[in-house]
Structures are given as structure tokens and as C-alpha cells.
Amino acid sequence: MAKTTVITLALGDITEEHADALVNAANSSLLGGGGVDGAIHRRGGPAILAECRALRAGHYGRGLPVGRAVATTAGRLDARWVIHTVGPRFSPEEDRSALLASCYRESLKVADELGARTVAFPAVSAGIYGWPMEDAARIAVETVRATETSVEEVRFVLFDDRAYEAFARHIR
Ligand code: AR6
């Protein structure tokens, strides 16, 4: 992480945040879903889905692989871009932490390519994909701290107090 990168926390709905880029906890289809993904498409409007469909028609014909990230317009959201990343589903049998870490690293790489200076992340994989919040928070914070990036602010936007407290414990 660049010396100038600060990590901040916010409690609430990521679609109400202002940042250069908002990160979406998407799935490989890039065509929408529930949770953060549903909220981003609902509030951002059809321009986001239109770009996602174009990505599927082009370079990402088979979908976006788990652990990777790609940007689209942010539509009507208060941001310039949405960076879609696909978290792994939690598995008790298989350690998929490296893929979850990759989501944060790859999203910051895309942010750097775009020139984004402020990036807001949700707790990727910690909802519908079932990742235990405490571990999801640890991986998120450790990975952002270990990543070399020109992003100046990484903001974790947490949906409830439990998630907020988990991230706060790892930032201290
Ligand atoms: N703002 C901030 N955080 C939110 C919001 C919101 N509007 N909504 C939910 N969260 P999830 P995943 C929290 O399920 O686990 C979708 O169907 C939520 O409480 O959005 O990576 C996709 O299409 C949890 O802590 O993402 C995929 O199929 C965290 O955000 C799948 O869900 C992530 O929850 C991805 O599942």
C-alpha cells in the first residue's frame, strides 16, 4: 500500500456512498443478483447492466472468473465507475482465502488503471456467499494493507454493526 493510502470505515448502504469507484460483490455472470449486486443495479440504473452485457459479448464470454475484477460505468450512482469483482463462495472443506484476497488486489489494480483515488468496498463474499464476517474482514484489511496502489482512500462500507465492528477490530 502506498504511504498515502488510508483505510476508512462507513456504516450503511454502499449505493449511497460517493467515491471514484464503488466495488460490486458480483457473480461470474455479471448480469446481476441479490445483496450489493442487486442494490447497485437497482440504484445505478440500466447503463451498468448494458455494459456488463457488452463485456459478456466480448472479452468475458465465459463470465468473470472468481477473484478477478472489471470496471463499468457507475450509471446514476455517485461515482465514476463500478468495479465488479467475484468473490469465492465460502467452503468449509477448501481454503479459498487466496481467491478472496485476489478480489481486493485485482479491484485495486483496476482502480489504478482507471486513475481512481477513492474506492469503496463492501465485505465481499460475506453475505450470500457465506464467508464468516470475522475472517472476511481480516482478509480484506490485510490484503489492502499489503497491496501497492495509488488509491488514496479505501473505504469499507459495512451494512450492519456486526460487520462494522469486525472490520474495526482488524484496522486497530
Ligand atoms: N451496501 C453495503 N453492504 C451491503 C449491501 C449494501 N447495499 N447489501 C448487502 N450488503 P452480498 P456476496 C452486505 O450477498 O456474499 C449476489 O447475488 C452484506 O450484508 O452482497 O459476495 C451476487 O450476484 C454482506 O455483509 O455479496 C452474487 O451471486 C456483504 O455486503 C452473490 O450475491 C456482501 O454480501 C455474492 O455474494
PDB file of all heavy atoms in Angstrom, residues 12-14 25-27 32-37 39 123-129 133 157 159, ligand 1:
ATOM      1  N   GLY A  12     -23.463   1.483   6.470  1.00  0.00           N
ATOM      2  CA  GLY A  12     -24.613   1.827   5.633  1.00  0.00           C
ATOM      3  C   GLY A  12     -24.617   1.123   4.299  1.00  0.00           C
ATOM      4  O   GLY A  12     -23.981   0.090   4.111  1.00  0.00           O
ATOM      5  N   ASP A  13     -25.341   1.742   3.390  1.00  0.00           N
ATOM      6  CA  ASP A  13     -25.606   1.184   2.064  1.00  0.00           C
ATOM      7  C   ASP A  13     -24.560   1.735   1.092  1.00  0.00           C
ATOM      8  O   ASP A  13     -24.458   2.953   0.902  1.00  0.00           O
ATOM      9  CB  ASP A  13     -27.020   1.627   1.654  1.00  0.00           C
ATOM     10  CG  ASP A  13     -27.434   1.097   0.296  1.00  0.00           C
ATOM     11  OD1 ASP A  13     -26.562   0.672  -0.495  1.00  0.00           O
ATOM     12  OD2 ASP A  13     -28.639   1.139   0.017  1.00  0.00           O
ATOM     13  N   ILE A  14     -23.810   0.858   0.459  1.00  0.00           N
ATOM     14  CA  ILE A  14     -22.721   1.306  -0.416  1.00  0.00           C
ATOM     15  C   ILE A  14     -23.250   2.138  -1.589  1.00  0.00           C
ATOM     16  O   ILE A  14     -22.538   3.012  -2.107  1.00  0.00           O
ATOM     17  CB  ILE A  14     -21.860   0.109  -0.896  1.00  0.00           C
ATOM     18  CG1 ILE A  14     -20.524   0.603  -1.479  1.00  0.00           C
ATOM     19  CG2 ILE A  14     -22.610  -0.772  -1.882  1.00  0.00           C
ATOM     20  CD1 ILE A  14     -19.492  -0.488  -1.683  1.00  0.00           C
ATOM     21  N   ALA A  25     -19.980  -6.651  -5.268  1.00  0.00           N
ATOM     22  CA  ALA A  25     -19.793  -8.086  -4.974  1.00  0.00           C
ATOM     23  C   ALA A  25     -20.665  -8.864  -5.948  1.00  0.00           C
ATOM     24  O   ALA A  25     -21.793  -9.236  -5.633  1.00  0.00           O
ATOM     25  CB  ALA A  25     -20.179  -8.378  -3.526  1.00  0.00           C
ATOM     26  N   ALA A  26     -20.126  -9.073  -7.136  1.00  0.00           N
ATOM     27  CA  ALA A  26     -20.906  -9.623  -8.251  1.00  0.00           C
ATOM     28  C   ALA A  26     -20.808 -11.148  -8.295  1.00  0.00           C
ATOM     29  O   ALA A  26     -20.253 -11.783  -7.397  1.00  0.00           O
ATOM     30  CB  ALA A  26     -20.385  -9.026  -9.559  1.00  0.00           C
ATOM     31  N   ASN A  27     -21.373 -11.721  -9.330  1.00  0.00           N
ATOM     32  CA  ASN A  27     -21.136 -13.141  -9.618  1.00  0.00           C
ATOM     33  C   ASN A  27     -20.570 -13.225 -11.038  1.00  0.00           C
ATOM     34  O   ASN A  27     -20.559 -12.230 -11.773  1.00  0.00           O
ATOM     35  CB  ASN A  27     -22.407 -13.983  -9.453  1.00  0.00           C
ATOM     36  CG  ASN A  27     -23.504 -13.539 -10.403  1.00  0.00           C
ATOM     37  OD1 ASN A  27     -23.357 -13.648 -11.622  1.00  0.00           O
ATOM     38  ND2 ASN A  27     -24.594 -13.014  -9.864  1.00  0.00           N
ATOM     39  N   GLY A  32     -26.152  -9.502 -12.672  1.00  0.00           N
ATOM     40  CA  GLY A  32     -26.957  -9.076 -11.530  1.00  0.00           C
ATOM     41  C   GLY A  32     -27.274 -10.210 -10.583  1.00  0.00           C
ATOM     42  O   GLY A  32     -26.988 -11.374 -10.852  1.00  0.00           O
ATOM     43  N   GLY A  33     -27.844  -9.842  -9.434  1.00  0.00           N
ATOM     44  CA  GLY A  33     -28.168 -10.816  -8.397  1.00  0.00           C
ATOM     45  C   GLY A  33     -28.779 -10.104  -7.214  1.00  0.00           C
ATOM     46  O   GLY A  33     -29.382  -9.035  -7.374  1.00  0.00           O
ATOM     47  N   GLY A  34     -28.593 -10.655  -6.022  1.00  0.00           N
ATOM     48  CA  GLY A  34     -29.131 -10.038  -4.800  1.00  0.00           C
ATOM     49  C   GLY A  34     -28.076  -9.206  -4.092  1.00  0.00           C
ATOM     50  O   GLY A  34     -27.070  -8.828  -4.695  1.00  0.00           O
ATOM     51  N   GLY A  35     -28.295  -8.917  -2.824  1.00  0.00           N
ATOM     52  CA  GLY A  35     -27.308  -8.225  -1.990  1.00  0.00           C
ATOM     53  C   GLY A  35     -26.810  -6.924  -2.603  1.00  0.00           C
ATOM     54  O   GLY A  35     -27.585  -6.142  -3.157  1.00  0.00           O
ATOM     55  N   VAL A  36     -25.512  -6.700  -2.490  1.00  0.00           N
ATOM     56  CA  VAL A  36     -24.886  -5.486  -3.027  1.00  0.00           C
ATOM     57  C   VAL A  36     -25.151  -5.371  -4.536  1.00  0.00           C
ATOM     58  O   VAL A  36     -25.464  -4.294  -5.054  1.00  0.00           O
ATOM     59  CB  VAL A  36     -23.357  -5.511  -2.769  1.00  0.00           C
ATOM     60  CG1 VAL A  36     -22.664  -4.375  -3.482  1.00  0.00           C
ATOM     61  CG2 VAL A  36     -23.063  -5.464  -1.276  1.00  0.00           C
ATOM     62  N   ASP A  37     -25.027  -6.490  -5.201  1.00  0.00           N
ATOM     63  CA  ASP A  37     -25.175  -6.544  -6.662  1.00  0.00           C
ATOM     64  C   ASP A  37     -26.564  -6.025  -7.075  1.00  0.00           C
ATOM     65  O   ASP A  37     -26.690  -5.157  -7.962  1.00  0.00           O
ATOM     66  CB  ASP A  37     -24.988  -8.008  -7.090  1.00  0.00           C
ATOM     67  CG  ASP A  37     -24.661  -8.169  -8.556  1.00  0.00           C
ATOM     68  OD1 ASP A  37     -24.413  -7.160  -9.232  1.00  0.00           O
ATOM     69  OD2 ASP A  37     -24.653  -9.329  -9.023  1.00  0.00           O
ATOM     70  N   ALA A  39     -28.576  -4.155  -5.327  1.00  0.00           N
ATOM     71  CA  ALA A  39     -28.714  -2.740  -4.943  1.00  0.00           C
ATOM     72  C   ALA A  39     -28.000  -1.832  -5.945  1.00  0.00           C
ATOM     73  O   ALA A  39     -28.517  -0.781  -6.335  1.00  0.00           O
ATOM     74  CB  ALA A  39     -28.166  -2.532  -3.528  1.00  0.00           C
ATOM     75  N   ALA A 123     -18.148  -5.872   2.067  1.00  0.00           N
ATOM     76  CA  ALA A 123     -17.479  -7.068   2.605  1.00  0.00           C
ATOM     77  C   ALA A 123     -17.736  -8.216   1.621  1.00  0.00           C
ATOM     78  O   ALA A 123     -18.679  -8.998   1.769  1.00  0.00           O
ATOM     79  CB  ALA A 123     -18.020  -7.406   3.983  1.00  0.00           C
ATOM     80  N   VAL A 124     -16.860  -8.290   0.620  1.00  0.00           N
ATOM     81  CA  VAL A 124     -17.029  -9.263  -0.474  1.00  0.00           C
ATOM     82  C   VAL A 124     -17.118 -10.696   0.104  1.00  0.00           C
ATOM     83  O   VAL A 124     -16.349 -11.052   1.013  1.00  0.00           O
ATOM     84  CB  VAL A 124     -15.847  -9.166  -1.470  1.00  0.00           C
ATOM     85  CG1 VAL A 124     -15.986 -10.202  -2.584  1.00  0.00           C
ATOM     86  CG2 VAL A 124     -15.749  -7.752  -2.045  1.00  0.00           C
ATOM     87  N   SER A 125     -18.030 -11.460  -0.395  1.00  0.00           N
ATOM     88  CA  SER A 125     -18.273 -12.880  -0.047  1.00  0.00           C
ATOM     89  C   SER A 125     -18.942 -13.092   1.314  1.00  0.00           C
ATOM     90  O   SER A 125     -19.286 -14.224   1.650  1.00  0.00           O
ATOM     91  CB  SER A 125     -16.988 -13.732  -0.098  1.00  0.00           C
ATOM     92  OG  SER A 125     -16.581 -13.932  -1.431  1.00  0.00           O
ATOM     93  N   ALA A 126     -19.111 -12.031   2.099  1.00  0.00           N
ATOM     94  CA  ALA A 126     -19.591 -12.217   3.483  1.00  0.00           C
ATOM     95  C   ALA A 126     -21.111 -12.197   3.610  1.00  0.00           C
ATOM     96  O   ALA A 126     -21.638 -12.165   4.721  1.00  0.00           O
ATOM     97  CB  ALA A 126     -18.970 -11.163   4.403  1.00  0.00           C
ATOM     98  N   GLY A 127     -21.830 -12.236   2.493  1.00  0.00           N
ATOM     99  CA  GLY A 127     -23.292 -12.269   2.525  1.00  0.00           C
ATOM    100  C   GLY A 127     -23.791 -13.583   1.968  1.00  0.00           C
ATOM    101  O   GLY A 127     -23.608 -14.648   2.569  1.00  0.00           O
ATOM    102  N   ILE A 128     -24.354 -13.502   0.777  1.00  0.00           N
ATOM    103  CA  ILE A 128     -24.926 -14.687   0.124  1.00  0.00           C
ATOM    104  C   ILE A 128     -23.868 -15.789  -0.059  1.00  0.00           C
ATOM    105  O   ILE A 128     -24.180 -16.969   0.021  1.00  0.00           O
ATOM    106  CB  ILE A 128     -25.567 -14.264  -1.221  1.00  0.00           C
ATOM    107  CG1 ILE A 128     -26.824 -13.422  -0.924  1.00  0.00           C
ATOM    108  CG2 ILE A 128     -25.905 -15.464  -2.096  1.00  0.00           C
ATOM    109  CD1 ILE A 128     -27.342 -12.603  -2.101  1.00  0.00           C
ATOM    110  N   TYR A 129     -22.616 -15.429  -0.237  1.00  0.00           N
ATOM    111  CA  TYR A 129     -21.564 -16.433  -0.437  1.00  0.00           C
ATOM    112  C   TYR A 129     -21.034 -17.026   0.870  1.00  0.00           C
ATOM    113  O   TYR A 129     -20.130 -17.876   0.853  1.00  0.00           O
ATOM    114  CB  TYR A 129     -20.428 -15.860  -1.286  1.00  0.00           C
ATOM    115  CG  TYR A 129     -20.746 -15.839  -2.779  1.00  0.00           C
ATOM    116  CD1 TYR A 129     -19.860 -15.276  -3.697  1.00  0.00           C
ATOM    117  CD2 TYR A 129     -21.928 -16.390  -3.282  1.00  0.00           C
ATOM    118  CE1 TYR A 129     -20.139 -15.255  -5.061  1.00  0.00           C
ATOM    119  CE2 TYR A 129     -22.220 -16.374  -4.644  1.00  0.00           C
ATOM    120  CZ  TYR A 129     -21.322 -15.809  -5.530  1.00  0.00           C
ATOM    121  OH  TYR A 129     -21.600 -15.798  -6.878  1.00  0.00           O
ATOM    122  N   MET A 133     -17.870 -13.428   8.785  1.00  0.00           N
ATOM    123  CA  MET A 133     -17.534 -11.999   8.736  1.00  0.00           C
ATOM    124  C   MET A 133     -16.158 -11.689   9.316  1.00  0.00           C
ATOM    125  O   MET A 133     -15.407 -10.892   8.768  1.00  0.00           O
ATOM    126  CB  MET A 133     -18.619 -11.187   9.454  1.00  0.00           C
ATOM    127  CG  MET A 133     -18.420  -9.696   9.369  1.00  0.00           C
ATOM    128  SD  MET A 133     -18.303  -9.065   7.663  1.00  0.00           S
ATOM    129  CE  MET A 133     -20.037  -9.111   7.197  1.00  0.00           C
ATOM    130  N   VAL A 157     -17.431  -0.238   3.351  1.00  0.00           N
ATOM    131  CA  VAL A 157     -18.793   0.186   3.682  1.00  0.00           C
ATOM    132  C   VAL A 157     -19.549  -1.041   4.187  1.00  0.00           C
ATOM    133  O   VAL A 157     -19.811  -1.977   3.421  1.00  0.00           O
ATOM    134  CB  VAL A 157     -19.494   0.810   2.462  1.00  0.00           C
ATOM    135  CG1 VAL A 157     -20.873   1.322   2.845  1.00  0.00           C
ATOM    136  CG2 VAL A 157     -18.644   1.954   1.901  1.00  0.00           C
ATOM    137  N   PHE A 159     -22.641  -3.050   6.232  1.00  0.00           N
ATOM    138  CA  PHE A 159     -24.096  -2.943   6.218  1.00  0.00           C
ATOM    139  C   PHE A 159     -24.710  -2.960   7.606  1.00  0.00           C
ATOM    140  O   PHE A 159     -25.816  -2.478   7.794  1.00  0.00           O
ATOM    141  CB  PHE A 159     -24.656  -4.095   5.386  1.00  0.00           C
ATOM    142  CG  PHE A 159     -25.905  -3.769   4.640  1.00  0.00           C
ATOM    143  CD1 PHE A 159     -26.125  -2.503   4.121  1.00  0.00           C
ATOM    144  CD2 PHE A 159     -26.872  -4.739   4.429  1.00  0.00           C
ATOM    145  CE1 PHE A 159     -27.274  -2.212   3.405  1.00  0.00           C
ATOM    146  CE2 PHE A 159     -28.029  -4.457   3.711  1.00  0.00           C
ATOM    147  CZ  PHE A 159     -28.228  -3.183   3.206  1.00  0.00           C
TER     148      PHE A 159
HETATM  149  N1  AR6 B   1     -24.408  -1.901   0.936  1.00  0.00           N
HETATM  150  C1  AR6 B   1     -23.387  -2.403   1.667  1.00  0.00           C
HETATM  151  N2  AR6 B   1     -23.301  -3.683   2.059  1.00  0.00           N
HETATM  152  C2  AR6 B   1     -24.311  -4.499   1.684  1.00  0.00           C
HETATM  153  C3  AR6 B   1     -25.415  -4.063   0.910  1.00  0.00           C
HETATM  154  C4  AR6 B   1     -25.442  -2.695   0.532  1.00  0.00           C
HETATM  155  N3  AR6 B   1     -26.430  -2.186  -0.192  1.00  0.00           N
HETATM  156  N4  AR6 B   1     -26.244  -5.135   0.698  1.00  0.00           N
HETATM  157  C5  AR6 B   1     -25.680  -6.196   1.325  1.00  0.00           C
HETATM  158  N5  AR6 B   1     -24.523  -5.818   1.930  1.00  0.00           N
HETATM  159  P1  AR6 B   1     -23.535  -9.959  -0.747  1.00  0.00           P
HETATM  160  P2  AR6 B   1     -21.510 -11.934  -1.590  1.00  0.00           P
HETATM  161  C6  AR6 B   1     -23.554  -6.619   2.692  1.00  0.00           C
HETATM  162  O1  AR6 B   1     -24.524 -11.039  -0.528  1.00  0.00           O
HETATM  163  O2  AR6 B   1     -21.569 -12.624  -0.275  1.00  0.00           O
HETATM  164  C7  AR6 B   1     -25.321 -11.625  -5.233  1.00  0.00           C
HETATM  165  O3  AR6 B   1     -26.474 -12.316  -5.590  1.00  0.00           O
HETATM  166  C8  AR6 B   1     -23.986  -7.977   3.170  1.00  0.00           C
HETATM  167  O4  AR6 B   1     -24.669  -7.860   4.416  1.00  0.00           O
HETATM  168  O5  AR6 B   1     -23.971  -8.719  -1.427  1.00  0.00           O
HETATM  169  O6  AR6 B   1     -20.168 -11.655  -2.213  1.00  0.00           O
HETATM  170  C9  AR6 B   1     -24.266 -11.666  -6.344  1.00  0.00           C
HETATM  171  O7  AR6 B   1     -24.860 -11.599  -7.613  1.00  0.00           O
HETATM  172  C10 AR6 B   1     -22.663  -8.689   3.301  1.00  0.00           C
HETATM  173  O8  AR6 B   1     -22.028  -8.336   4.537  1.00  0.00           O
HETATM  174  O9  AR6 B   1     -22.244 -10.491  -1.584  1.00  0.00           O
HETATM  175  C11 AR6 B   1     -23.616 -12.990  -6.079  1.00  0.00           C
HETATM  176  O10 AR6 B   1     -24.362 -14.056  -6.644  1.00  0.00           O
HETATM  177  C12 AR6 B   1     -21.801  -8.099   2.169  1.00  0.00           C
HETATM  178  O11 AR6 B   1     -22.465  -6.874   1.814  1.00  0.00           O
HETATM  179  C13 AR6 B   1     -23.616 -13.107  -4.575  1.00  0.00           C
HETATM  180  O12 AR6 B   1     -24.722 -12.293  -4.144  1.00  0.00           O
HETATM  181  C14 AR6 B   1     -21.696  -8.963   0.920  1.00  0.00           C
HETATM  182  O13 AR6 B   1     -22.946  -9.597   0.694  1.00  0.00           O
HETATM  183  C15 AR6 B   1     -22.376 -12.537  -3.960  1.00  0.00           C
HETATM  184  O14 AR6 B   1     -22.384 -12.801  -2.578  1.00  0.00           O
END
